[in-house]
Each structure stands twice: as structure tokens, then as C-alpha cells.
């Protein structure tokens, strides 16, 4: 499912226009992004949570030359599914 299909499904489910659903979806993603940038965790009970996890610096290998390289530390957004979402899929 892509963004267009998601918006169409939301419009059908809610009775709102596709344009309104797109506005709501864009606002949701913008707020999640803003919260993660600020270091906050976004929890949607029953659905899941979004958070940022730090990855430590580590040593890796260049597969072409087999030379050891250092992979710098980074931060990555992570989604963890909630119990209700996990149960609904099984």
C-alpha cells in the first residue's frame, strides 16, 4: 500500500474527502517527525510507538577490498508494534 492508496482508504472509511485525509496524514507525519527530532517518543496505545535509537560507532569491512572501516555513530527512527496490532495480524 502506498500513500495514495492509504489516503483513499482513509477517505472511504471516514467519509471525508481525499484532500482532507491527505492534510490529516501529512499533519500526523509532520508531528511524529517533529517529536522524534526533539528526542520525544510517540506512543499510540494499541498500535505502537515511534522512537529514536542511537547506534554506536562500530568496525565493519569493505566487501570489495576486505579492508576494515569505521562506521560512525548514528541515530535511527524505530517503530515498535503494540500488542493489539500484533494480535490483529496473527
Amino acid at each position: 500500500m502506498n500513500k495514495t492508496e492509504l489516503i483513499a482508504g482513509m477517505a472511504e472509511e471516514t467519509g471525508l474527502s481525499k484532500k482532507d485525509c491527505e492534510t490529516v496524514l501529512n499533519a500526523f507525519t509532520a508531528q511524529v517527525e517533529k517529536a522524534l527530532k526533539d528526542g520525544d517518543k510517540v506512543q499510540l496505545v494499541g498500535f505502537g510507538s515511534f522512537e529514536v535509537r542511537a547506534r554506536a560507532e562500530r568496525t565493519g569491512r569493505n566487501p570489495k577490498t576486505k579492508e576494515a572501516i569505521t562506521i560512525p555513530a548514528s541515530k535511527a527512527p524505530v517503530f515498535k508494534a503494540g500488542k493489539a496490532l500484533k494480535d490483529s495480524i496473527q
Side-chain angles (χ1 to χ4, degrees):
M1 173 180 280
N2 61 29
K3 185 176 178 180
T4 304
E5 294 168 340
L6 178 60
I7 290 169
M10 289 171 57
E12 186 178 312
E13 186 84 19
T14 62
L16 298 172
S17 70
K18 287 182 182 180
K19 186 162 182 73
D20 289 342
C21 288
E22 182 177 12
T23 302
V24 170
L25 182 60
N26 289 338
F28 171 76
T29 56
Q31 287 301 306
V32 170
E33 184 178 334
K34 182 179 181 289
L36 294 178
K37 281 182 181 178
D38 293 343
D40 294 334
K41 180 177 182 179
V42 178
Q43 290 182 305
L44 303 172
V45 176
F47 184 72
S49 61
F50 299 89
E51 65 181 315
V52 175
R53 290 199 185 143
R55 292 183 179 164
E57 184 178 275
R58 61 194 191 277
T59 303
R61 291 219 176 265
N62 180 335
K64 193 172 188 178
T65 63
K66 308 292 188 225
E67 178 184 347
I69 58 171
T70 301
I71 301 169
S74 63
K75 292 181 180 178
V78 177
F79 175 76
K80 181 178 179 188
K83 184 174 179 353
L85 179 59
K86 288 179 188 176
D87 290 346
S88 71
I89 293 173
Q90 295 179 5

